[in-house]
Amino acid sequence: MSELIYQDAAQALRNGEVIAYPTEAVWGVGCDPFNEQAVQKLLDLKNRPVEKGVILAAGSVEQVAFLLDELSVQQRETVLATWPGPYTWILPDPKNQIPQWIKGDNSGVAVRVSAHSSVKLICQAYGHPIVSTSANPAGEQPARTQGEVSRYFASTSLFIVPGELGGQQKPTEIRDLTSGGLVRES
């Protein structure tokens, strides 16, 4: 696929738009996590309450290294052993570096460093992590095809990055790093 599509996706993100893209198991929608209006637009599309929070997806560990600085050596090793890959960790954010509209009612932030080529290339072109949440309105099954994304959001102009899903059958596992608890099974 042309490198241009990822540059165009990055420009859409800079413009405050919501994009749709394939991930490890389902199609995702995303935006600039530091643009509150873009995040609200995404939440409105999904009919998702801000209190639930959303995941940050990064293209490299370097993009989220600032969140690893406060971790113990053991915690850092635990997280890095799974990245890049289909694992989402709820990391502590004691310095409140991530906006509350991303974390929702949580004190920590859900983060994944993806191994999926489309997610990596979007984040590399953008230079930062992006919001990553399943492409579906609340209560509907996550989209598994580009056609389902278009059908779910027919009345909205989304920038769609074409591509294929990864090999995962279910959305990524989510674990809380502080408690060790499983929040969502993969």
Side-chain angles (χ1 to χ4, degrees):
M1 185 169 310
S2 168
E3 179 73 23
L4 186 58
I5 193 77
Y6 301 109
Q7 293 301 324
D8 290 346
Q11 188 58 51
L13 291 165
R14 283 190 279 285
N15 292 342
E17 295 177 41
V18 176
I19 66 169
Y21 51 92
T23 72
E24 293 86 350
V26 298
W27 275 75
V29 288
C31 64
D32 175 352
F34 296 98
N35 180 331
E36 186 176 9
Q37 289 77 25
V39 173
Q40 191 57 57
K41 185 176 174 182
L42 180 146
L43 295 172
D44 290 347
L45 277 175
K46 287 184 52 88
N47 196 27
R48 181 183 177 91
V50 69
E51 295 80 21
K52 288 183 87 173
V54 290
I55 294 171
L56 291 183
S60 68
V61 171
E62 291 75 26
Q63 291 184 339
V64 294
F66 66 98
L67 289 168
L68 305 180
D69 289 344
E70 301 297 315
L71 302 180
S72 70
V73 171
Q74 182 180 8
Q75 287 175 319
R76 193 174 305 113
E77 287 174 357
T78 297
V79 170
L80 294 178
T82 65
W83 285 349
Y87 299 93
T88 299
W89 289 95
I90 298 174
L91 303 177
D93 183 20
K95 293 181 178 176
N96 284 316
Q97 298 175 89
I98 301 300
Q100 207 60 47
W101 60 78
I102 295 298
K103 297 185 287 189
D105 283 346
N106 309 295
S107 60
V109 58
V111 180
R112 178 174 79 255
V113 175
S114 182
H116 189 279
S117 61
S118 289
V119 177
K120 285 172 56 172
L121 290 167
I122 292 165
C123 291
Q124 286 172 359
Y126 189 51
H128 303 284
I130 62 171
V131 169
S132 185
T133 184
S134 59
N136 59 291
E140 298 290 336
Q141 289 297 311
R144 292 200 178 262
T145 66
Q146 186 175 330
E148 287 178 337
V149 172
S150 296
R151 194 167 51 255
Y152 278 151
F153 304 112
S155 63
T156 306
S157 65
L158 288 179
F159 182 91
I160 297 178
V161 177
E164 300 296 322
L165 296 177
Q168 297 291 117
Q169 296 303 307
K170 294 181 181 177
T172 61
E173 174 179 295
I174 300 175
R175 286 197 175 271
D176 186 307
L177 183 63
T178 303
S179 72
L182 183 64
V183 177
R184 179 177 75 192
E185 217 173 323
S186 65

